[in-house]
């Protein structure tokens, strides 16, 4: 299986930037897709960004133009760069990985992913 550890969360002023990271370990050679989700209190977990094994990315409408996801294969790390942060971006952010070959069809869907990190808190004020 794939193990995921998120980091980089914290508190930031509105309009600021934050860079999260997700380090993957285990059977990473079998990973087809990586994604980032967020969940605010009382709300459902929603997909914000995803990337497949070819580097193709998908973003939720709410973060397009502000968030960018990138990969560092040397360290098995995925980085969401979050710019122009808004208070509504406040949530717990989760890294996700998938070994399902069809995951690139639904990169923002929870059902596409097999493995999840424990989450990192982002607070924008």
């Amino acid at each position: 299986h794939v193990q995921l550890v998120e980091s980089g969360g914290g508190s930031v002023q509105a309009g600021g930037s934050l860079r999260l990271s997700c380090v993957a370990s285990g059977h990473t050679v079998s990973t087809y897709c990586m994604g980032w989700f967020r969940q605010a209190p009382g709300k459902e977990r929603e997909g914000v960004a995803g990337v497949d094994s070819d580097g193709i990315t998908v973003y939720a409408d709410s973060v397009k133009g502000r968030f960018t996801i990138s990969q560092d294969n040397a360290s098995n790390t995925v980085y969401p760069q979050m710019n122009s942060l808004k208070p509504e971006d406040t949530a717990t952010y989760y890294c996700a990985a998938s070994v399902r070959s069809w995951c690139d069809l639904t990169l923002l869907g929870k059902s596409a992913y097999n493995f999840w990190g424990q989450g990192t808190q982002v607070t924008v004020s």
Side-chain angles (χ1 to χ4, degrees):
H1 67 278
V2 178
Q3 297 168 324
L4 305 170
V5 179
E6 306 103 327
S7 63
S11 181
V12 65
Q13 295 293 111
S17 299
L18 204 61
R19 193 188 195 193
L20 307 183
S21 68
C22 174
V23 180
S25 62
H27 299 286
T28 57
V29 67
S30 64
T31 300
Y32 287 94
C33 304
M34 298 287 291
W36 280 88
F37 292 74
R38 67 186 182 188
Q39 186 169 23
K43 296 185 178 180
E44 295 294 322
R45 189 172 300 184
E46 62 175 345
V48 297
V51 58
D52 68 13
S53 59
D54 293 321
I56 298 174
T57 57
V58 175
Y59 299 91
D61 289 341
S62 59
V63 305
K64 285 181 179 178
R66 300 189 298 118
F67 289 11
T68 303
I69 188 169
S70 60
Q71 296 175 290
D72 182 352
N73 290 331
S75 60
N76 296 317
T77 306
V78 178
Y79 302 94
Q81 177 66 49
M82 307 188 297
N83 300 321
S84 301
L85 285 164
K86 305 174 181 179
E88 51 263 44
D89 295 319
T90 296
T92 301
Y93 283 73
Y94 297 89
C95 179
S98 179
V99 298
R100 295 165 178 160
S101 61
W102 49 265
C103 60
D104 58 343
L105 300 177
T106 53
L107 283 172
L108 301 182
K110 291 181 290 185
S111 63
Y113 296 90
N114 305 93
F115 308 102
W116 297 84
Q118 295 185 355
T120 184
Q121 179 67 36
V122 172
T123 302
V124 184
S125 61

